[in-house]
């Protein structure tokens, strides 16, 4: 017998969130949890039969075990070829690159992104389609529906495969290619950016650090920054992927990458520092004594796009997720290009990128990317900044403050209230929703409300409509408050409040954001009745 069919019971909790299925490791290891999801993918995606599947992950605990299970299930389900990153590694953007380059039918990416790893941490899996991007809602819904009715799964009667040596192995009728996880991706980076200019910048003594946070980008960053661009050894820190990320949150932000932030301060400060998350799709950009918000980063890169060789002739348009600040909108207006506002989650950029309507896109949550793949891409953002820095010859701080002087500054902050009781969180959102119709035209703490709605997105390419994507309250002075519940949390509900204010006057652009936004923050707290409804006095995380 080449394979065995086992009967199973459906799980009811396999509806993917904003970025796939994400649960505690122990959940994935319970019964047939992983196998049910994977079989549901094979059942719902007939193109995989006889096609090519890309497989890899961020190297976290359970990655290797999951890869062996998936390989055997792929064989039993008639997949022709699987491309696996050596060691089971593929960063999320590299997986997207490989899917596209080898015209695979799809890919399974194993990651819980920036969530902690290890036996007590999180694991995750998501399916990307042939364009290299996260499956669209209609596909994830089909997989989810299948997971509710599944009665059996198939798995090959085969031995584990050595995934640590490059080369081909057969598993019954299926071919397994163990590929260098870095090669194709590094080649793509060198085709996009001005490698000579960046090399010259580094050779001239420009100092940078890249923090891989013991996650998947270590090998990518070493190859690209140290080998190809000639940065000194040691430029990449925490560069060896560990199953538990060294016990840290592989989350590139001011809190979790505090050591890196410290390297940008004081007498011995480096000129530029950056970090990426567990699976390599997020980025944080720092200059000397300067933090670039992801919303500003997108706007600055869009304004400087033509300095990047692949975009020499200009970009057709840009997109940002709804809660991302409107800084990039102002650049788009100035450039006379299209600007789209999409729901949270990278999958909503896919159609716009495929159709060539946009080239750059981003989210406030440390996600930036372009049309080179269909995922956000941490190292792409770092390379884009290096490219711009090399050609402008100015510091990070000078580039960003100069940008504000030209376009105005969108002060911005996100407040997260984590682990709220689900009922209370939904009650808060429902109460806000009920008040929306009465707000437009009226005043809230002296500011005139221009619009108030629960964001609904109609995809301009396929016409699909996504409703209830977050509450937006926009004011006539350009400021805005957004409320939404997280789709990626694993414990209770997380309320995210996004606050933004526009400041055109250069004299008033250098305030600390929490101070500049204090009045709007108070308005948001009062309007949503955050304290009375949740008992919380302050957010758990302020970004
Ligand atoms: C969060 C971010 C969102 C991002 C997602 C996946 O989702 O806010 O921008 O696309 O992680 O990285 P949330 O927890 O807000 O639903
Ligand atoms: Zn990630």
């Amino acid at each position: 017998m080449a394979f065995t069919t086992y009967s199973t019971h459906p799980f009811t909790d396999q509806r993917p969130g904003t970025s796939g299925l994400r649960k505690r490791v122990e959940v994935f290891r319970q019964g047939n949890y992983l196998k049910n999801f994977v079989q549901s993918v094979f059942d719902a995606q007939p193109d995989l039969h006889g096609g090519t599947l890309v497989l890899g992950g961020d190297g976290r605990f359970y990655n290797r075990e999951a890869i062996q299970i998936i390989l055997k299930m792929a064989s039993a389900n008639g997949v022709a070829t699987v491309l696996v990153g050596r060691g089971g590694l593929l960063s999320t953007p590299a997986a997207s690159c490989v899917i596209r380059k080898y015209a695979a039918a799809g890919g399974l990416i194993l990651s819980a992104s920036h969530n902690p790893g290890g036996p007590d941490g999180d694991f995750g899996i998501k399916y990307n389609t042939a364009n290299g991007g996260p499956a669209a809602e209609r596909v994830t819904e089909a997989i989810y529906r299948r997971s509710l009715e599944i009665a059996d799964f198939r798995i090959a009667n085969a031995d584990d495969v050595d995934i640590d040596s490059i080369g081909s192995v057969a598993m019954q009728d299926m071919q397994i290619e163990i590929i260098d996880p870095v090669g194709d991706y590094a080649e793509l980076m060198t085709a996009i950016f001005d490698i000579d200019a960046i090399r010259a910048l580094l050779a001239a003594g420009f100092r940078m650090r890249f923090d891989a946070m013991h996650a998947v980008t270590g090998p990518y960053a070493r190859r690209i920054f140290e080998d190809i661009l000639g940065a000194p050894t040691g430029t990449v820190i925490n560069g060896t992927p560990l199953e538990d990320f060294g016990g840290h949150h592989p989350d590139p932000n001011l809190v979790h990458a505090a050591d890196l932030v410290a390297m940008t301060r004081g007498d011995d400060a480096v000129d530029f520092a950056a970090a990426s998350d567990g699976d390599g799709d997020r980025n944080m950009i720092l200059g000397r004594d300067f933090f670039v918000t992801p919303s500003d980063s997108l706007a600055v890169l869009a304004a400087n796009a033509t300095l990047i060789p692949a975009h020499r002739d200009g970009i057709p348009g840009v997109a940002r997720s709804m809660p991302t600040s409107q800084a990039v909108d102002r650049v788009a207006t100035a450039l006379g290009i299209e600007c789209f506002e999409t729901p949270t989650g990278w999958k909503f950029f896919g159609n716009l990128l495929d159709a060539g309507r946009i080239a750059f896109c981003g989210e406030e949550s440390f996600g930036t990317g372009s049309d080179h793949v269909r995922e956000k891409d941490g190292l792409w953002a770092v390379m884009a900044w290096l490219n711009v820095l090399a050609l402008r010859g100015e510091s990070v701080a000078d580039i960003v403050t100069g940008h504000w002087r030209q376009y105005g500054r969108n002060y911005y902050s996100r407040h997260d209230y984590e682990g709220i009781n689900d009922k209370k969180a939904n009650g808060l959102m429902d109460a806000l929703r009920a008040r929306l119709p009465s707000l437009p035209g009226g005043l809230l703490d002296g500011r005139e409300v221009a619009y108030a709605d629960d964001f609904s997105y109609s995809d301009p390419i396929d016409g699909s409509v996504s409703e209830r994507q977050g509450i937006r309250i926009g004011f006539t002075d350009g400021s805005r408050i957004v409320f939404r519940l997280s789709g990626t949390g694993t414990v209770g509900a997380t309320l995210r409040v996004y606050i933004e204010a526009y400041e055109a006057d250069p004299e008033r652009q250098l305030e600390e954001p929490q101070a500049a936004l204090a009045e709007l923050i108070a308005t948001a707290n009062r309007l949503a009745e955050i304290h009375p409804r949740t008992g919380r006095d302050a957010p758990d995380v302020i970004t």
Side-chain angles (χ1 to χ4, degrees), residues 18-19 282 344-345 363-365 376 414 484 486-488 496:
T18 11
S19 51
R282 293 188 173 198
T344 293
E363 297 191 275
E364 49 68 38
S365 52
K376 56 187 173 245
R414 183 176 104 180
R484 60 178 282 281
S486 158
T488 60
R496 302 203 196 284

Side-chain angles (χ1 to χ4, degrees), residues 63-327:
N63 194 60
R64 285 173 168 273
E65 227 174 295
I67 286 196
Q68 298 293 348
I69 292 169
I70 295 167
L71 284 173
K72 290 172 198 171
M73 292 185 68
S75 168
N77 281 281
V79 172
T81 308
V82 185
L83 305 177
V84 189
R86 182 182 47 210
L89 297 182
L90 273 177
S91 77
T92 294
S96 183
C97 159
V98 172
I99 293 170
R100 295 166 66 77
K101 181 165 176 180
Y102 298 99
L108 282 167
I109 304 179
L110 311 177
S111 171
S113 190
H114 51 285
N115 293 14
D120 301 321
D122 288 341
F123 190 74
I125 183 166
K126 71 171 177 172
Y127 183 66
N128 280 28
T129 42
N131 72 346
E137 258 177 356
R138 106 194 98 73
V139 176
T140 56
E141 276 301 306
I143 295 169
Y144 173 61
R145 275 197 309 276
R146 182 66 196 155
S147 77
L148 296 175
E149 61 191 29
I150 190 167
D152 49 44
F153 63 87
R154 292 185 284 292
I155 189 157
N157 301 313
D159 292 331
D160 281 2
V161 172
D162 170 15
I163 55 170
D164 294 300
S165 341
I166 305 262
S168 295
V169 261
M171 181 181 279
Q172 300 168 357
D173 292 337
M174 184 177 84
Q175 208 50 40
I176 300 172
E177 309 282 350
I178 311 296
I179 62 169
D180 169 12
V182 180
D184 297 305
Y185 178 82
E187 191 185 297
L188 181 58
M189 290 297 112
T190 57
I192 294 172
F193 296 106
D194 192 335
I195 297 300
D196 291 339
I198 304 174
R199 225 184 245 145
L201 175 77
L202 290 164
F206 179 91
R207 291 172 65 220
M208 71 171 276
R209 288 285 179 282
F210 177 83
D211 188 349
M213 306 191 87
H214 293 299
V216 78
T217 49
Y220 294 85
R222 282 195 177 130
R223 179 92 55 92
I224 295 168
F225 300 132
E226 298 181 4
D227 299 350
I228 299 176
L229 294 171
T233 308
T235 294
V236 177
I237 59 171
N238 301 320
T240 305
L242 300 175
E243 286 202 328
D244 66 350
F245 309 119
H248 302 295
H249 282 243
D251 196 357
N253 59 36
L254 296 171
V255 175
H256 293 301
D259 293 349
L260 182 76
V261 176
M263 293 178 192
T264 63
R265 300 195 173 144
D267 291 342
D268 195 35
V270 296
D271 301 299
F272 178 70
S276 194
D277 71 331
D279 61 328
D281 57 357
R282 293 188 173 198
N283 75 89
M284 177 171 68
I285 302 291
L286 301 161
R288 214 176 244 256
D289 261 323
F290 199 89
F291 165 65
V292 185
T293 70
S295 296
D296 280 342
S297 176
L298 175 64
V300 169
L301 293 179
N304 290 280
T306 53
L307 298 179
I308 297 171
H311 303 287
R312 192 170 281 138
D313 300 330
I315 51 177
V318 288
R320 60 166 173 83
S321 69
M322 184 274 280
T324 302
S325 101
Q326 301 162 99

Side-chain angles (χ1 to χ4, degrees), residues 298 302 315-333 336-346 348-364 455-463 472 480:
L298 175 64
I315 51 177
V318 288
R320 60 166 173 83
S321 69
M322 184 274 280
T324 302
S325 101
Q326 301 162 99
V328 74
D329 303 32
R330 297 187 179 268
V331 175
T333 304
I337 59 175
E338 286 195 288
C339 180
F340 298 88
E341 181 175 46
T342 59
T344 293
W346 206 261
F348 292 101
F349 297 133
N351 280 346
L352 295 167
L353 290 163
D354 285 348
R357 296 279 287 272
I358 60 168
F360 289 8
C361 43
E363 297 191 275
E364 49 68 38
F455 182 55
S456 164
Y457 178 66
S458 165
D459 187 301
I461 311 300
D462 68 17
R472 305 187 295 181
R480 203 173 65 140

